[in-house]
Amino acid sequence: MVFPILKLGALAVKTMSKPLANAIKRRAKSHPKFRGTIINFAQSYHKINVGLQRRLYGYSTNVDIKPLIEEKAVETAADLVGELVVFGVVLL
């Protein structure tokens, strides 16, 4: 009986945290200092992700990885930050 109630509670908290995540995503796209920070974060994430994929698929790993376009980097990082907020709230 306790498990379904906990699961329902976690789902409710996750649902309520989505507007907070969306607000953070909007703020990340518009605030200049935060935007610069998340662009750097997205570029690092992109380099790690591409490097791991290349290693998993057996391709050469000693190549230059092209950076993301600025708008794509902002979108990627904003989505990542939004998801981290949702998962962070659920973990609490």
Side-chain angles (χ1 to χ4, degrees):
M1 181 68 179
V2 174
F3 183 69
I5 293 172
L6 287 176
K7 195 170 183 179
L8 186 61
L11 182 62
V13 168
K14 183 178 176 184
T15 302
M16 291 186 313
S17 67
K18 286 196 182 215
L20 174 66
N22 289 334
I24 291 173
K25 284 169 64 172
R26 281 192 306 274
R27 180 83 169 162
K29 290 179 183 179
S30 63
H31 192 272
K33 191 171 184 178
F34 194 37
R35 183 181 171 96
T37 303
I38 65 169
I39 287 174
N40 291 336
F41 179 67
Q43 295 296 358
S44 299
Y45 172 76
H46 174 67
K47 273 188 159 183
I48 291 168
N49 190 26
V50 171
L52 286 173
Q53 284 181 353
R54 291 187 66 82
R55 186 170 295 139
L56 284 172
Y57 292 131
Y59 297 127
S60 174
T61 56
N62 58 354
V63 296
D64 288 334
I65 298 171
K66 294 181 182 177
L68 292 171
I69 300 170
E70 187 173 320
E71 284 303 314
K72 180 71 174 168
V74 169
E75 189 67 34
T76 300
D79 289 340
L80 203 57
V81 168
E83 290 299 317
L84 288 174
V85 167
V86 170
F87 289 127
V89 168
V90 169
L91 289 177
L92 295 176

